[in-house]
Amino acid sequence: MFKKNRPTEDVTPQPVPEVAPELDHSADPRRKSGPTPRRREAVAANKVPLVANDRRAAAKAQRAEMRKQRDIEYQAMLSGDERHLPYRDKGPVKRFVRDWVDARHNLGEIFLFFALVMMVVLFVTPLIENGALTLALMLFLYGVVLVTIADGFFLWRKLRKALVAKFGNDVDLKAQRWYALTRAYQIRRARLPKPQVKHGEYPS
């Protein structure tokens, strides 16, 4: 009938655990500034469009870059700087061919002058009544052409031996032949790249 007395509850306050203060990681360089981007987003961010949005601006920039490259190559041809020469003139083999041709007195240098004279003569000969004089002029001009062709033949025969002796049989002789003859039939002052040797200074 009488309720049993319940034990008195212990109301002693429990100690509150200390909470460590939050550290500020905002200054930590190793801490990421945000969530890691997805693979699809990373790939899309690294993609560069093949066709620029502004085609006119892209074409203008490309022309400017090509013009700058041509200026660099032209200056290299004037100074003989091997680093910036066009691909057609680069390499020790091409340099050897140029120096060999430039060190030689070539009859091909005057070929252009005789070709111009021949054109004038062919235009004037119908107006000349002296057949013997006309025939003599024609034979003389054709003789000059044949002599310049023979001079180019002797040039290449000696140059070919020099190329094989220095660079071996791996040299593309056909390409070097046309490169040498094309240069030999140009006026020395008009040659590009500019001659870097004097007459008689053959490369060793």
Side-chain angles (χ1 to χ4, degrees):
M1 294 181 56
F2 296 95
K3 294 183 180 179
K4 294 182 179 180
N5 295 330
R6 295 181 180 178
T8 306
E9 295 181 356
D10 189 3
V11 294
T12 304
Q14 299 295 328
V16 179
E18 296 182 359
V19 179
E22 294 185 0
L23 298 178
D24 185 9
H25 296 283
S26 59
D28 190 353
R30 295 172 297 178
R31 183 178 177 84
K32 294 188 296 184
S33 60
T36 303
R38 297 180 180 178
R39 181 179 180 83
R40 184 183 301 175
E41 297 174 354
V43 172
N46 292 330
K47 281 185 177 180
V48 178
L50 297 178
V51 180
N53 295 330
D54 192 347
R55 295 186 177 183
R56 182 176 298 178
K60 185 178 180 180
Q62 184 178 9
R63 288 195 300 268
E65 184 65 24
M66 293 176 61
R67 190 182 307 112
K68 180 181 178 181
Q69 183 63 27
R70 286 196 301 267
D71 293 340
I72 293 175
E73 292 178 352
Y74 181 73
Q75 293 299 324
M77 287 191 292
L78 294 178
S79 62
D81 186 359
E82 293 283 345
R83 298 172 300 172
H84 302 294
L85 286 177
Y87 177 78
R88 175 180 63 93
D89 302 302
K90 277 187 176 180
V93 177
K94 295 294 181 66
R95 177 61 183 267
F96 185 88
V97 172
R98 290 197 305 271
D99 290 347
W100 183 278
V101 173
D102 296 338
R104 188 175 182 271
H105 290 279
N106 304 289
L107 293 179
E109 298 179 29
I110 60 176
F111 178 77
L112 293 178
F113 295 107
F114 277 98
L116 180 61
V117 173
M118 178 177 289
M119 292 178 60
V120 175
V121 170
L122 291 176
F123 181 76
V124 175
T125 45
L127 304 178
I128 301 177
E129 297 180 358
N130 192 336
L133 179 60
T134 302
L135 180 61
L137 289 175
M138 294 297 298
L139 291 176
F140 173 73
L141 293 175
Y142 279 113
V144 171
V145 173
L146 292 176
V147 170
T148 55
I149 293 175
D151 183 67
F153 171 78
F154 290 117
L155 161 68
W156 171 241
R157 189 174 68 173
K158 293 183 179 180
L159 178 56
R160 181 181 58 186
K161 293 180 180 179
L163 283 171
V164 173
K166 185 173 181 62
F167 300 101
N169 295 321
D170 296 333
V171 180
D172 186 358
L173 295 178
K174 183 177 180 180
Q176 307 311 321
R177 177 182 63 189
W178 289 113
Y179 186 73
L181 293 178
T182 302
R183 189 171 181 85
Y185 279 82
Q186 293 177 350
I187 303 173
R188 183 180 176 88
R189 293 182 179 180
R191 292 173 184 168
L192 289 175
K194 289 292 186 181
Q196 302 296 315
V197 297
K198 298 180 180 179
H199 285 122
E201 294 181 356
Y202 289 92
S204 57

